[in-house]
Amino acid sequence: MANATAAGNAACGELHQGLACQRLTLPCGDTVLVALQGAHVLSWVSQGRERLYLSPNNLWDGQSAIRGGVPVCFPQFNQRGTLPKHGFARNMDWTAGDAVTSGDDVHIDFTLSTNPDTLAIWQQAFVAQLRVALTPGQLTLTLTVNNTEAQNDLHFTGALHTYLAVDDIDLTELRGLGGHPEWDAVADVHGVADEALYFDGEFDRVYARGEGLSAKPLHLQDGASTLQIEQSPSWAESVVWNPGESKCAALADMPAQGFARMLCVEAAQVFEPISIPAGSQWVGWQRLTVS
């Protein structure tokens, strides 16, 4: 039986670089650290290894977007609209609920809802919730968006913009997207994905992954380590991104060689907005499993 009161040893509040955070810890030693700013997952340690990349060059001022970990991009993907880049959710404080344990598993919910700051830039009533669920060897992030309008539909794009840690991008491969429609945003070319993806220079591609397409897991091979990556079919696309050396050097919040230690594999909604009728909800998740 799930037991919120028994979660005292599994969850605790702490500060990271001055930001209020919640940390979940399992008896096996796996941990996840989540900042209230953006409900942003900053760290996931499993089997003694950090699985997410977090830039050491972040400002940590409580307002600037955090580079690395898992930003929640909502309600806009990138600059595909009139809102700030990747939306406003990653820059705002979310409210943390109580941690809930069930056996060896623990989860915690973070909530962001309509407030004067959101209404100043987006005239939409909503409640967004991110559930961070930790089990041995596995992290599952579930985004739920509720349209609390009485009549109007809610439209949004977005992503779970996951930065995965790798030892060396030159020795990294991603498998499982073979045959999926692919848009190469760097060259602006449409094609079909190869079964194995390799990374030499800037890489920014969008893959169709929604309903009716193969939902088989992706596998990130990083030396001797393999990470399985899954997402719900409610996300229409996956985005795979690495800035490469030249673009990385131009990013103020990334070290010059940071590109060599990360690969973004995102569960995303890029091209067509999701539409939620009044009073309804949408749910989308991404699951990372150490293989």
Side-chain angles (χ1 to χ4, degrees), residues 143-264:
L143 181 65
T144 301
V145 180
N146 293 278
N147 181 0
T148 56
E149 294 278 356
Q151 295 182 333
N152 299 325
D153 290 354
L154 182 156
H155 304 283
F156 77 96
T157 56
L160 297 173
H161 196 310
T162 306
Y163 286 70
L164 300 171
V166 301
D167 287 337
D168 187 344
I169 192 63
D170 288 338
L171 303 178
T172 298
E173 70 175 35
L174 182 67
R175 293 185 172 272
L177 286 167
H180 286 251
E182 171 190 79
W183 176 54
D184 183 337
V186 177
D188 192 16
V189 172
H190 291 268
V192 177
D194 295 330
E195 176 54 31
L197 303 180
Y198 302 94
F199 310 97
D200 180 16
E202 183 181 359
F203 193 103
D204 188 358
R205 301 183 187 180
V206 181
Y207 300 90
R209 294 293 309 282
E211 300 281 358
L213 294 171
S214 169
K216 70 178 183 178
L218 310 184
H219 290 91
L220 181 69
Q221 189 71 40
D222 170 32
S225 176
T226 303
L227 189 70
Q228 179 175 283
I229 306 163
E230 300 169 273
Q231 68 182 56
S232 62
S234 49
W235 296 105
E237 287 96 25
S238 292
V239 176
V240 181
W241 179 71
N242 182 282
E245 185 170 12
S246 297
K247 188 166 186 176
C248 187
L251 297 174
D253 57 359
M254 280 282 280
Q257 296 299 308
F259 75 95
R261 300 288 181 260
M262 53 73 62
L263 181 70
C264 285

Side-chain angles (χ1 to χ4, degrees), residues 4 16 25 28 37 67 101 116 119 123 126-127 141 151 157 171-172 174 179-181 184 186 198 210 232 262 282 284:
H16 179 84
T25 304
C28 67
Q37 180 188 333
R67 172 79 67 180
T101 59
L119 287 172
Q123 298 299 310
F126 73 96
V127 176
L141 304 177
Q151 295 182 333
T157 56
L171 303 178
T172 298
L174 182 67
H180 286 251
D184 183 337
V186 177
Y198 302 94
S232 62
M262 53 73 62
W282 172 93

Side-chain angles (χ1 to χ4, degrees), residues 265-285:
V265 182
E266 312 166 34
Q269 192 76 25
V270 177
F271 300 120
E272 295 294 332
I274 291 165
S275 181
I276 309 174
S280 298
Q281 73 172 201
W282 172 93
V283 180
W285 53 262

